[in-house]
Amino acid sequence: MSRSISKTLSLSKLNINTNTDNVTIGEDTLTELLENNKGPQGPSVKLIQQLYAYDTTKQTPTGTGPTNAIKAKFGAPKTTTYIDLDALGNVTFKENGNYLIHGKGQYGRDNTADTVLLHFRAMIDFNDGAGAVQVGDSISAEINNKKIVIPIEISFALNVTNAPYTLYFEVMRDSSEQNDGGLYSFTPTAALGWNPSGSASILIERLM
């Protein structure tokens, strides 16, 4: 059994950084910008993929509560012209510009007893000395069976104006429920040509 949870955040409507104006643009603004720059041959500005990465290991906190939350990892480190990804899941935006970000994961659990409550969120350090802040709300789900897998996604547009910015995602087991569960990966059985479904993946595009 599976179901999906997906949220697209318009950061222009979120007051998550009061020290800097126009830090972020919402996805609605990004779409409008593409439409307004459309010429006879199509848009004069385009979204170009800059980074795609995923991890195929099970990623599970060792305990419940905020102190046991872990960063989601996205596989091996990668370096591009505009973005760096390290082995711990930290994404560094090295150049100013407009980016569209999709962070994904898959909730799962090992044990069958009782219920677990899991939370997933995005965090950004704006390089302003104030530390990292959460982007929008968390994606949460209760799971009462190890046969349940829940794909999740957080998507948002980001206007980097004072690079470098640092982005990462976190998963937490809620202390009100059982100490179990996290982000899980699956590999298709005897299916040549099918890639595994990662426990966490990230796709970042840049407006060019």
Side-chain angles (χ1 to χ4, degrees), residues 21-208:
D21 293 331
N22 195 32
V23 170
T24 53
I25 61 173
E27 196 166 6
D28 50 350
T29 309
L30 193 62
T31 302
E32 182 179 352
L33 181 60
L34 287 168
E35 287 296 320
N36 290 343
N37 285 274
K38 185 179 293 184
Q41 305 301 320
S44 57
V45 290
K46 298 180 179 179
L47 281 171
I48 305 298
Q49 179 176 314
Q50 301 299 324
L51 175 72
Y52 176 71
Y54 66 95
D55 193 86
T56 57
T57 63
K58 182 170 65 175
Q59 304 187 52
T60 54
T62 57
T64 64
T67 58
N68 291 302
I70 61 170
K71 289 183 180 180
K73 297 181 297 182
F74 302 104
K78 290 187 177 182
T79 298
T80 72
T81 301
Y82 301 101
I83 301 167
D84 284 347
L85 169 69
D86 70 18
L88 299 178
N90 297 301
V91 177
T92 301
F93 296 87
K94 300 183 290 185
E95 299 287 342
N96 291 346
N98 295 316
Y99 299 84
L100 186 59
I101 300 154
H102 305 276
K104 300 181 180 182
Q106 291 190 137
Y107 284 151
R109 63 175 299 186
D110 287 320
N111 301 316
T112 57
D114 300 316
T115 300
V116 301
L117 176 58
L118 301 172
H119 306 286
F120 186 70
R121 69 175 183 173
M123 300 286 289
I124 296 182
D125 187 335
F126 290 103
N127 189 31
D128 58 2
V133 296
Q134 181 169 343
V135 179
D137 54 349
S138 304
I139 294 184
S140 305
E142 288 187 322
I143 305 177
N144 60 6
N145 190 312
K146 71 175 183 178
K147 293 295 184 181
I148 296 176
V149 179
I150 303 178
I152 54 176
E153 177 177 359
I154 295 177
S155 298
F156 57 95
L158 175 65
N159 180 12
V160 177
T161 59
N162 185 33
Y165 287 3
T166 302
L167 163 72
Y168 58 91
F169 292 81
E170 290 184 318
V171 61
M172 179 182 73
R173 295 171 174 173
D174 198 281
S175 59
S176 68
E177 300 289 355
Q178 295 299 306
N179 181 25
D180 189 23
L183 303 177
Y184 283 59
S185 177
F186 298 89
T187 300
T189 302
L192 295 178
W194 285 70
N195 291 332
S197 59
S199 55
S201 65
I202 190 166
L203 169 65
I204 301 178
E205 300 166 296
R206 187 175 190 270
L207 199 64
M208 307 290 283

